[in-house]
Amino acid sequence: MQLVRMVAGAYIVALAIAVGVHFVVTPLYHDGSSSYPVWNVLNWFWAVALILMLSANLHFKLALNRSDSSATSGVTREYLETNVLLYASIILCILFFWKWFDQNWAADPESSSTLSWPFINPPLIAVAAASGLRLWRRARGDAA
């Protein structure tokens, strides 16, 4: 199980890096057309990473709720980290999938605006990287 968690954490972090780099370099190569073929492929891998991220953060939240130490110790770093990552990943995943479905499977995909991607991807990259690193560290047995 630890190996699966390490692979999932590495996958999430690798996709966060790939999306971050590609997000920055897209304006350098894009020809101005309405199609983004690299993003069309990358978003499928990104969707898998986001589902893994969301399930890992939900697992950490449920584990925190089951532990007795969280009830008596008040607000701790682990409590804040767990809750912020979970609720941020929920909100950002909803935004990502809403925008992705709207852009790819809407009745008129040409009418879909690409303006919201710059507001969805950067925080999503940060939350995914933090979640993936946390999953990796937990799988290795590190406390932090």
Side-chain angles (χ1 to χ4, degrees), residues 33-81:
S33 68
S34 63
S35 69
Y36 291 84
V38 177
W39 279 113
N40 291 339
V41 173
L42 193 59
N43 280 340
W44 285 97
F45 293 101
W46 194 220
V48 172
L50 298 182
I51 291 169
L52 290 172
M53 173 190 75
L54 195 58
S55 63
N57 287 330
L58 182 60
H59 170 76
F60 291 140
K61 173 68 173 163
L62 294 174
L64 181 68
N65 288 346
R66 282 192 298 262
S67 72
D68 293 332
S69 63
S70 65
T72 59
S73 62
V75 177
T76 62
R77 177 178 178 222
E78 181 181 10
Y79 175 85
L80 285 175
E81 185 177 315

Side-chain angles (χ1 to χ4, degrees), residues 57-141:
N57 287 330
L58 182 60
H59 170 76
F60 291 140
K61 173 68 173 163
L62 294 174
L64 181 68
N65 288 346
R66 282 192 298 262
S67 72
D68 293 332
S69 63
S70 65
T72 59
S73 62
V75 177
T76 62
R77 177 178 178 222
E78 181 181 10
Y79 175 85
L80 285 175
E81 185 177 315
T82 300
N83 283 290
V84 168
L85 286 177
L86 174 66
Y87 294 116
S89 64
I90 289 171
I91 292 166
L92 291 167
C93 283
I94 289 170
L95 289 171
F96 170 84
F97 284 108
W98 166 75
K99 183 62 184 167
W100 188 38
F101 293 152
D102 179 52
Q103 191 169 353
N104 291 312
W105 294 286
D108 184 16
E110 296 296 321
S111 69
S112 179
S113 171
T114 58
L115 184 61
S116 59
W117 284 120
F119 298 105
I120 296 171
N121 274 332
L124 193 51
I125 292 164
V127 170
S131 298
L133 288 172
R134 186 172 197 222
L135 185 59
W136 173 271
R137 281 191 227 117
R138 292 285 175 95
R140 283 188 35 212

Side-chain angles (χ1 to χ4, degrees), residues 4-16:
V4 172
R5 289 181 182 167
M6 287 179 74
V7 169
Y11 179 80
I12 294 167
V13 170
L15 258 294

